[in-house]
Amino acid sequence: MMMKNRIRLLTTAVVLALGCPAATVETDRTWYLAGEAMTVSVTDDDALIAYAELCDAHGLVAGTAISLDRGVGKGVIELPADMHSGYYVLSAYSRHDTSVSNRLVAVVNTLRKSEDDDVTWEAADSCWATADGAAELTSSKDVDIRETEGHIVRARVKNVYNGNTFSSSQIRPSVSIVGKQIHYFDGQMVNDTTAVFYTYDIHGRQPLVLTAVSYTGESLPVEMISPFSTLLPKSLPHLVFHYKRSEVEARSIGMQRHQKAIARAERDDTDQRDLPQGYEATAFGTQPDLSYNLDEYRQFLKVSEVLLEYVRCVKKTRINGVQQLVVRRTEDPFNTLLPSLVLIDGMPVVDTERLLDYDARRIHYINIYDRLYTLGHGVYNGILSFITRSGRLTNYPTERNVQYLVYEFP
């Protein structure tokens, strides 16, 4: 019992030695098995979103972004099953504050050994952890953009392509959620290679697409930047794990069941958690001016045939030498100098030919929004939205240089 109190005092001393951070962090358990889920509670009176990250001395292991309600929030960090045994540091912070709250977390792996293991196993009548040595943790971070309305996503754009170098004013980045609803966000280039997206009303696991297009219509390579600061400890103590065999075995069985449940969810391509729920025609608060339910029309093989036979107010033209589909607005049908925003399942279409050759039998709705839209720094002459029956871009040819991923929004 005295050793338990000693480790608690050591952890408290580490936190107190780092000052008085704005955020505080607590965990649901005193020690963890690799592969378990860790529930993290964060308190920060001056933030809407907090970040909790788990690191060892080499890098980021896992993390989560947590929405705060009146300064309090909970999140879950899925511990990777291949973690080595030893101490890790759990850091909590918000983007606009330099202060960091830290907590040592003991993790043991019962299924595999690693050359990075830093643990001594000692039999006992219960399970608890002690620290042999001191920890030197990071107490501050750089100030970032304050998240006042929603989660901020950042991406890195390769601004050199095909021998051309593009400045920030010549790049149009965007992030969109794939699904039967339109959630599209134009980004802001904060420099020639970094884009920032201010998202709102998006929660949980969502499939998203990152796109960056030059003013000449070329698709530029883009990738998401980790939302975490990756605050590495300079040193961590040696873990002495006092274990009771029956308790560890029971936790290990529960952890393996948890891992199987996660694996089943990841294999299930029809997992509805990864989709915005249901079809919704509204885009940016407006209903479409024209809507086509293709179940009510004769079926054609290609989207190009459907546009030719049924769809009004859409024209194929070239803008800056790039072929595009343009909505011909009713009050100004001859104005095709401005591009239209063309979407399929919420994803912006860069290569028009891919869309025109796509199997029209997979399209359920075509919606046309006939007005001018200003999104970020871009002005669009209407929106042309295609919604597939699955809402998942089924068999749609992969756009060049576009990044597809599943992202966990707070």
Side-chain angles (χ1 to χ4, degrees), residues 6 68 75 93 201 253 288 339:
R6 189 175 300 170
L68 303 180
Y93 52 84
D201 293 337
I253 292 173

Side-chain angles (χ1 to χ4, degrees), residues 212-234:
V213 181
S214 72
Y215 77 101
T216 58
E218 292 179 296
S219 180
L220 304 177
V222 60
E223 63 178 357
M224 179 172 289
I225 298 174
S226 170
F228 302 104
S229 296
T230 312
L231 305 172
L232 302 183
K234 295 181 180 179

Side-chain angles (χ1 to χ4, degrees), residues 318-369:
R318 286 188 174 273
I319 300 177
N320 295 325
V322 179
Q323 180 176 276
Q324 299 192 33
L325 295 175
V326 177
V327 174
R328 294 179 295 180
R329 300 170 57 237
T330 53
E331 66 271 22
D332 191 6
F334 302 104
N335 180 12
T336 57
L337 298 179
L338 291 174
S340 297
L341 179 60
V342 182
L343 306 171
I344 178 167
D345 286 345
M347 181 189 75
V349 173
V350 180
D351 188 340
T352 301
E353 287 299 329
R354 295 173 188 265
L355 175 64
L356 294 177
D357 289 338
Y358 184 58
D359 188 349
R361 294 167 296 183
R362 298 188 182 277
I363 301 293
H364 197 176
Y365 298 100
I366 299 177
N367 296 323
I368 298 175
Y369 304 83

Side-chain angles (χ1 to χ4, degrees), residues 38-144:
M38 173 170 43
T39 300
V40 179
S41 301
V42 176
T43 301
D44 189 333
D45 294 332
D46 195 31
L48 294 178
I49 297 174
Y51 294 84
E53 65 176 42
L54 193 68
C55 294
D56 61 10
H58 304 293
L60 177 71
V61 176
T64 187
I66 302 172
S67 294
L68 303 180
D69 183 10
R70 299 179 183 179
V72 179
K74 285 188 177 182
V76 175
I77 296 178
E78 294 288 349
L79 302 181
D82 60 353
M83 291 176 67
H84 67 81
S85 297
Y87 269 115
Y88 295 77
V89 58
L90 176 66
S91 301
Y93 52 84
S94 58
R95 279 186 167 163
H96 69 280
D97 196 337
T98 60
S99 300
V100 179
S101 179
N102 294 299
R103 187 178 188 89
L104 288 174
V105 176
V107 178
V108 292
N109 196 320
T110 58
L111 301 182
R112 57 177 62 92
K113 291 183 178 181
S114 168
E115 60 181 15
D116 294 322
D117 286 348
D118 190 13
V119 60
T120 299
W121 294 76
E122 293 188 0
D125 57 358
S126 63
C127 292
W128 48 287
T130 58
D132 184 5
E136 189 175 356
L137 310 180
T138 302
S139 60
S140 63
K141 56 176 281 295
D142 294 334
V143 174
D144 205 338

